[in-house]
Every structure is written in C-alpha cells, then in structure tokens.
Amino acid sequence: MAWYRIILCLSFHGIIAIRNDINLENLLDRMETYEKKIAKLEMEVERMSVIEKEAAELRQIVKGNSRHRRFLLNEGPGVAFSAYKSASFDATSFGLRQTFIYDHVECNVGNGYENFTGIFRPSLPGTYAFTWTVCASGSVNSEIGVELVIDNKVHGSIYVDSETHAEEHCSTGFVIHTLKTGDVVYTRSQGAGHEGTIRSDKYTRTTFSGWLLFY
C-alpha cells in the first residue's frame, strides 16, 4: 500500500501548489489595482498642490490691490455732487473766462460743491469723474464755449452752436482726473466772443456734476 500513499501525497501537494498559484495571481491583480489607485491619488495630490499655490498667489494679488484701490460701490465714504442753473441767461453779457455758477444743487455728498461760487473742492483725495452740459438757444444764433478748469489749468472744453434762428443745441464734456485735497474745480466761459442765450429750464438744463471713483 506504500505506493498508494505516495500517490495520495503527491496529489495533495499538487492541489496545494495549484491553490498557491491561484492566490499569487489574485495578489498580483490586487497589487496592480492598488498601484493604479495610488498613481491616481498622487496625480490628484499634485493637482491640489498646484491649485493651492495659485490660490495663494491670487490672495496676495487681491490683498495688494485692496491697499491701493478701494472702490466706493462697496466700502468707504463717498463724494458726489450734481447742480444746474435754475434759469436761462444772456450769453453776450456773461463775459470771457467767467465762472459758471450752478445755483440749484440736487446732490452734494461730502459738501464739496459751493453753489454760491460754482467751485468744487474735494474733501477726499482720489480719482474723480466730471461732466458738464451747456445748452444754447435764442432768437439769434447762439454760440458759447465752456471749459473745465482744475487748479487754473484747462482739462476739458466743449463748444455749442445753435447755428440757426430759434434752434436749440446742447454739448456735454466728460473728464476723469486725480485730485488732491485743496484742489479747485469749476467750469468757465472760454476766451472768445459769445452770443445768444444759455438755456436752462424745465425742458433742458445746463448742468455740472462730479463724483469720486476711487482713492
């Protein structure tokens, strides 16, 4: 019976070897799967590192800009004014390089505009926007030029001409300029002859406005 035992022993060890081979294949498959997952995780970690670096750089940029530019739509004090002439007047009698006085004030945030002098004095330094409109009409041709003056220097100029009898025309100027506290801003007639009527009534208005953009 010795030979029978030998056959049984060999058969038993053969089954064990087969099982070992099967287990080894399973282990290799699992290892390959894990290696793929690890590789994907390493890629995700690398991407996260890049994103975190970019986010940090953006935070520094925003932080740096916020020190120099504070937009008044969201924070900080505001400065703005808007005024117009309450009545029409004769352009020929107005004179040359005479300051326009817009006596009716609709808005004066910061109290920088003086309705008795026509001058705006900024209460805060910063970059401002200014716009002014002049309308001309009358029984004769109406012509007039108006310029924006900042600290005795002309920074903008408009000219309006009604061209024909009883015709109305308007002209508008727009300027952006950086001011410091103590600057003076106003509009005045140009240094040339004027004629006709400067119109400002319920139908059309001669106006002057300004506001702080940022500082």
Side-chain angles (χ1 to χ4, degrees):
M1 296 297 292
W3 60 270
Y4 181 74
R5 290 178 181 176
I6 292 171
I7 292 174
L8 287 175
C9 183
L10 291 173
S11 299
F12 179 73
H13 285 288
I15 293 171
I16 291 175
I18 291 171
R19 287 182 176 177
N20 288 337
D21 289 341
I22 293 173
N23 290 337
L24 183 59
E25 289 180 2
N26 290 338
L27 287 172
L28 291 174
D29 290 340
R30 291 173 64 184
M31 286 178 63
E32 186 177 356
T33 301
Y34 288 147
E35 286 175 352
K36 289 180 179 179
K37 289 181 177 180
I38 290 171
K40 288 180 65 177
L41 287 173
E42 288 176 346
M43 290 177 63
E44 291 297 326
V45 169
E46 185 176 353
R47 285 181 57 193
M48 288 299 298
S49 177
V50 172
I51 292 172
E52 289 177 354
K53 183 179 179 181
E54 291 178 351
E57 291 175 352
L58 288 173
R59 280 193 293 269
Q60 289 298 322
I61 293 172
V62 171
K63 185 177 179 181
N65 286 344
S66 65
R67 294 175 181 175
H68 304 287
R69 299 175 67 190
R70 299 177 61 190
F71 288 92
L72 302 182
L73 294 175
N74 300 319
E75 59 176 303
V79 179
F81 74 93
S82 183
Y84 64 87
K85 296 192 71 66
S86 60
S88 303
F89 64 97
D90 183 18
T92 56
S93 63
F94 188 60
L96 307 180
R97 294 190 173 89
Q98 295 297 307
T99 303
F100 272 53
I101 298 177
Y102 307 84
D103 55 303
H104 188 95
V105 179
E106 291 188 314
C107 173
N108 197 10
V109 178
N111 297 316
Y113 178 72
E114 302 170 354
N115 67 329
F116 51 90
T117 64
I119 292 175
F120 169 73
R121 304 175 192 273
S123 57
L124 290 173
T127 300
Y128 287 77
F130 296 99
T131 181
W132 67 107
T133 297
V134 176
C135 297
S137 67
S139 57
V140 297
N141 295 352
S142 297
E143 298 181 49
I144 190 168
V146 180
E147 52 197 22
L148 180 76
V149 179
I150 302 175
D151 279 349
N152 297 319
K153 293 182 180 180
V154 176
H155 289 271
S157 187
I158 60 175
Y159 187 81
V160 58
D161 184 359
S162 64
E163 296 181 352
T164 59
H165 172 71
E167 186 180 38
E168 289 89 18
H169 275 275
C170 294
S171 182
T172 297
F174 185 79
V175 167
I176 294 176
H177 193 77
T178 299
L179 304 179
K180 60 184 182 297
T181 304
D183 287 345
V184 294
V185 184
Y186 57 93
T187 65
R188 70 182 183 189
S189 58
Q190 294 177 357
H194 311 296
E195 60 181 0
T197 300
I198 302 304
R199 183 174 176 180
S200 193
D201 52 35
K202 65 179 180 179
Y203 299 107
T204 185
R205 286 175 175 170
T206 294
T207 65
F208 181 33
S209 302
W211 61 98
L212 175 63
L213 294 174
F214 52 85
Y215 62 95

Short mmCIF file of all heavy atoms in Angstrom, two decimals, residues 77 79 110-112 114 119-128 130 150-151 177-185 212 214-215:
data_model
loop_
_atom_site.label_atom_id
_atom_site.label_comp_id
_atom_site.label_asym_id
_atom_site.label_seq_id
_atom_site.Cartn_x
_atom_site.Cartn_y
_atom_site.Cartn_z
N PRO A 77 -16.19 106.12 2.48
CA PRO A 77 -17.04 107.31 2.28
C PRO A 77 -17.15 107.66 0.82
O PRO A 77 -16.28 107.33 0.02
CB PRO A 77 -16.30 108.38 3.07
CG PRO A 77 -14.87 107.95 3.04
CD PRO A 77 -14.90 106.45 3.09
N VAL A 79 -18.09 110.73 -2.30
CA VAL A 79 -18.14 112.14 -2.64
C VAL A 79 -18.83 112.26 -3.99
O VAL A 79 -18.43 111.59 -4.95
CB VAL A 79 -16.73 112.77 -2.72
CG1 VAL A 79 -16.83 114.24 -3.10
CG2 VAL A 79 -15.99 112.61 -1.40
N GLY A 110 -20.62 114.94 0.76
CA GLY A 110 -19.29 115.40 1.12
C GLY A 110 -19.17 116.91 1.18
O GLY A 110 -18.13 117.44 1.59
N ASN A 111 -20.24 117.62 0.72
CA ASN A 111 -20.29 119.09 0.77
C ASN A 111 -19.11 119.76 0.09
O ASN A 111 -18.60 120.79 0.54
CB ASN A 111 -20.37 119.57 2.23
CG ASN A 111 -21.63 119.08 2.92
OD1 ASN A 111 -22.72 119.15 2.35
ND2 ASN A 111 -21.49 118.57 4.13
N GLY A 112 -18.67 119.18 -1.04
CA GLY A 112 -17.54 119.74 -1.75
C GLY A 112 -17.90 120.84 -2.73
O GLY A 112 -17.05 121.66 -3.08
N GLU A 114 -19.76 124.29 -3.94
CA GLU A 114 -20.26 125.55 -3.40
C GLU A 114 -21.20 126.20 -4.42
O GLU A 114 -20.75 126.65 -5.48
CB GLU A 114 -19.09 126.50 -3.10
CG GLU A 114 -18.08 125.91 -2.12
CD GLU A 114 -16.81 126.74 -2.02
OE1 GLU A 114 -16.68 127.72 -2.80
OE2 GLU A 114 -15.95 126.41 -1.19
N ILE A 119 -17.71 126.44 -7.47
CA ILE A 119 -16.44 125.72 -7.33
C ILE A 119 -16.64 124.44 -6.53
O ILE A 119 -17.38 124.41 -5.54
CB ILE A 119 -15.39 126.61 -6.62
CG1 ILE A 119 -14.99 127.78 -7.53
CG2 ILE A 119 -14.15 125.81 -6.23
CD1 ILE A 119 -14.06 128.79 -6.88
N PHE A 120 -15.95 123.39 -6.97
CA PHE A 120 -15.93 122.12 -6.23
C PHE A 120 -14.54 121.94 -5.62
O PHE A 120 -13.53 122.07 -6.29
CB PHE A 120 -16.23 120.94 -7.16
CG PHE A 120 -15.97 119.60 -6.53
CD1 PHE A 120 -16.81 119.10 -5.55
CD2 PHE A 120 -14.86 118.84 -6.89
CE1 PHE A 120 -16.57 117.87 -4.95
CE2 PHE A 120 -14.60 117.62 -6.30
CZ PHE A 120 -15.46 117.14 -5.33
N ARG A 121 -14.55 121.64 -4.31
CA ARG A 121 -13.31 121.37 -3.58
C ARG A 121 -13.41 119.96 -3.00
O ARG A 121 -14.28 119.71 -2.15
CB ARG A 121 -13.10 122.38 -2.46
CG ARG A 121 -13.12 123.83 -2.93
CD ARG A 121 -13.02 124.79 -1.75
NE ARG A 121 -13.31 126.17 -2.15
CZ ARG A 121 -12.42 127.02 -2.63
NH1 ARG A 121 -11.16 126.62 -2.78
NH2 ARG A 121 -12.76 128.25 -2.97
N PRO A 122 -12.56 119.02 -3.41
CA PRO A 122 -12.68 117.64 -2.94
C PRO A 122 -12.37 117.52 -1.45
O PRO A 122 -11.38 118.05 -0.96
CB PRO A 122 -11.65 116.89 -3.78
CG PRO A 122 -10.63 117.92 -4.14
CD PRO A 122 -11.40 119.20 -4.32
N SER A 123 -13.24 116.81 -0.75
CA SER A 123 -13.00 116.54 0.68
C SER A 123 -12.09 115.34 0.88
O SER A 123 -11.56 115.13 1.97
CB SER A 123 -14.33 116.30 1.40
OG SER A 123 -15.05 115.24 0.81
N LEU A 124 -11.90 114.54 -0.20
CA LEU A 124 -11.01 113.37 -0.16
C LEU A 124 -10.13 113.37 -1.41
O LEU A 124 -10.61 113.70 -2.50
CB LEU A 124 -11.82 112.07 -0.12
CG LEU A 124 -12.59 111.74 1.15
CD1 LEU A 124 -13.46 110.51 0.93
CD2 LEU A 124 -11.64 111.49 2.31
N PRO A 125 -8.87 113.01 -1.28
CA PRO A 125 -8.04 112.85 -2.49
C PRO A 125 -8.45 111.58 -3.22
O PRO A 125 -8.93 110.62 -2.62
CB PRO A 125 -6.62 112.72 -1.91
CG PRO A 125 -6.82 112.14 -0.54
CD PRO A 125 -8.12 112.72 -0.04
N GLY A 126 -8.28 111.58 -4.52
CA GLY A 126 -8.63 110.39 -5.29
C GLY A 126 -8.86 110.73 -6.76
O GLY A 126 -8.60 111.84 -7.21
N THR A 127 -9.37 109.75 -7.49
CA THR A 127 -9.66 109.92 -8.92
C THR A 127 -11.15 110.20 -9.10
O THR A 127 -11.99 109.43 -8.65
CB THR A 127 -9.26 108.66 -9.70
OG1 THR A 127 -7.85 108.45 -9.53
CG2 THR A 127 -9.56 108.83 -11.19
N TYR A 128 -11.44 111.31 -9.75
CA TYR A 128 -12.82 111.79 -9.89
C TYR A 128 -13.24 111.81 -11.36
O TYR A 128 -12.41 111.92 -12.26
CB TYR A 128 -12.94 113.21 -9.34
CG TYR A 128 -12.91 113.32 -7.83
CD1 TYR A 128 -11.71 113.22 -7.14
CD2 TYR A 128 -14.08 113.53 -7.10
CE1 TYR A 128 -11.68 113.32 -5.75
CE2 TYR A 128 -14.06 113.64 -5.72
CZ TYR A 128 -12.86 113.53 -5.05
OH TYR A 128 -12.82 113.64 -3.68
N PHE A 130 -15.90 114.00 -13.92
CA PHE A 130 -16.66 115.25 -14.03
C PHE A 130 -17.37 115.29 -15.38
O PHE A 130 -16.81 114.89 -16.40
CB PHE A 130 -15.75 116.47 -13.90
CG PHE A 130 -15.07 116.59 -12.57
CD1 PHE A 130 -13.76 116.16 -12.41
CD2 PHE A 130 -15.74 117.10 -11.47
CE1 PHE A 130 -13.12 116.26 -11.18
CE2 PHE A 130 -15.12 117.20 -10.24
CZ PHE A 130 -13.81 116.78 -10.09
N ILE A 150 -9.12 122.89 -13.62
CA ILE A 150 -8.65 122.29 -12.37
C ILE A 150 -7.35 122.97 -11.99
O ILE A 150 -6.35 122.87 -12.72
CB ILE A 150 -8.43 120.76 -12.52
CG1 ILE A 150 -9.73 120.07 -12.97
CG2 ILE A 150 -7.92 120.15 -11.22
CD1 ILE A 150 -9.57 118.59 -13.26
N ASP A 151 -7.36 123.69 -10.88
CA ASP A 151 -6.18 124.44 -10.42
C ASP A 151 -5.59 125.31 -11.52
O ASP A 151 -4.39 125.24 -11.84
CB ASP A 151 -5.12 123.47 -9.88
CG ASP A 151 -5.42 123.05 -8.45
OD1 ASP A 151 -6.32 123.66 -7.83
OD2 ASP A 151 -4.77 122.12 -7.95
N HIS A 177 -10.02 112.75 -13.66
CA HIS A 177 -8.77 113.38 -13.22
C HIS A 177 -8.53 113.04 -11.75
O HIS A 177 -9.47 112.96 -10.95
CB HIS A 177 -8.85 114.89 -13.40
CG HIS A 177 -7.52 115.58 -13.26
ND1 HIS A 177 -6.57 115.56 -14.25
CD2 HIS A 177 -6.99 116.28 -12.24
CE1 HIS A 177 -5.51 116.25 -13.85
NE2 HIS A 177 -5.73 116.69 -12.62
N THR A 178 -7.26 112.87 -11.39
CA THR A 178 -6.89 112.59 -10.00
C THR A 178 -6.66 113.91 -9.26
O THR A 178 -5.89 114.76 -9.73
CB THR A 178 -5.63 111.71 -9.94
OG1 THR A 178 -5.90 110.48 -10.60
CG2 THR A 178 -5.25 111.43 -8.49
N LEU A 179 -7.32 114.05 -8.11
CA LEU A 179 -7.25 115.28 -7.33
C LEU A 179 -6.62 115.02 -5.97
O LEU A 179 -6.65 113.90 -5.46
CB LEU A 179 -8.64 115.87 -7.12
CG LEU A 179 -9.48 116.16 -8.37
CD1 LEU A 179 -10.84 116.70 -7.95
CD2 LEU A 179 -8.77 117.14 -9.29
N LYS A 180 -6.11 116.09 -5.41
CA LYS A 180 -5.66 116.05 -4.02
C LYS A 180 -6.47 117.06 -3.22
O LYS A 180 -7.09 117.97 -3.79
CB LYS A 180 -4.16 116.37 -3.93
CG LYS A 180 -3.77 117.73 -4.47
CD LYS A 180 -2.26 117.91 -4.42
CE LYS A 180 -1.84 119.29 -4.91
NZ LYS A 180 -2.20 119.52 -6.31
N THR A 181 -6.48 116.91 -1.92
CA THR A 181 -7.21 117.85 -1.08
C THR A 181 -6.64 119.26 -1.26
O THR A 181 -5.43 119.45 -1.23
CB THR A 181 -7.11 117.44 0.40
OG1 THR A 181 -7.58 116.09 0.54
CG2 THR A 181 -7.95 118.34 1.27
N GLY A 182 -7.53 120.21 -1.47
CA GLY A 182 -7.10 121.58 -1.71
C GLY A 182 -7.22 122.00 -3.16
O GLY A 182 -7.15 123.21 -3.46
N ASP A 183 -7.40 121.05 -4.09
CA ASP A 183 -7.61 121.40 -5.49
C ASP A 183 -8.97 122.08 -5.66
O ASP A 183 -9.89 121.87 -4.87
CB ASP A 183 -7.56 120.15 -6.36
CG ASP A 183 -6.15 119.61 -6.53
OD1 ASP A 183 -5.20 120.35 -6.21
OD2 ASP A 183 -6.00 118.45 -6.96
N VAL A 184 -9.09 122.90 -6.70
CA VAL A 184 -10.37 123.54 -7.01
C VAL A 184 -10.75 123.18 -8.44
O VAL A 184 -9.91 123.16 -9.35
CB VAL A 184 -10.31 125.07 -6.82
CG1 VAL A 184 -10.11 125.42 -5.36
CG2 VAL A 184 -9.19 125.68 -7.67
N VAL A 185 -12.05 122.90 -8.64
CA VAL A 185 -12.56 122.50 -9.95
C VAL A 185 -13.79 123.35 -10.26
O VAL A 185 -14.68 123.51 -9.40
CB VAL A 185 -12.94 121.01 -9.96
CG1 VAL A 185 -13.37 120.58 -11.36
CG2 VAL A 185 -11.77 120.15 -9.48
N LEU A 212 -16.52 110.84 -6.93
CA LEU A 212 -15.27 110.13 -6.64
C LEU A 212 -15.38 108.69 -7.13
O LEU A 212 -16.30 107.97 -6.75
CB LEU A 212 -15.00 110.16 -5.12
CG LEU A 212 -13.80 109.36 -4.61
CD1 LEU A 212 -12.50 109.90 -5.19
CD2 LEU A 212 -13.75 109.42 -3.08
N PHE A 214 -12.48 106.29 -7.08
CA PHE A 214 -11.74 105.52 -6.08
C PHE A 214 -10.59 106.38 -5.56
O PHE A 214 -10.25 107.40 -6.15
CB PHE A 214 -11.21 104.20 -6.64
CG PHE A 214 -10.44 104.32 -7.92
CD1 PHE A 214 -9.09 104.62 -7.91
CD2 PHE A 214 -11.07 104.14 -9.14
CE1 PHE A 214 -8.37 104.73 -9.08
CE2 PHE A 214 -10.36 104.25 -10.32
CZ PHE A 214 -9.01 104.54 -10.29
N TYR A 215 -10.01 105.93 -4.45
CA TYR A 215 -8.91 106.69 -3.86
C TYR A 215 -7.84 105.77 -3.30
O TYR A 215 -8.04 104.55 -3.29
CB TYR A 215 -9.44 107.63 -2.76
CG TYR A 215 -10.08 106.95 -1.61
CD1 TYR A 215 -9.36 106.65 -0.45
CD2 TYR A 215 -11.42 106.58 -1.64
CE1 TYR A 215 -9.95 106.02 0.62
CE2 TYR A 215 -12.03 105.97 -0.57
CZ TYR A 215 -11.30 105.68 0.54
OH TYR A 215 -11.89 105.06 1.62
#
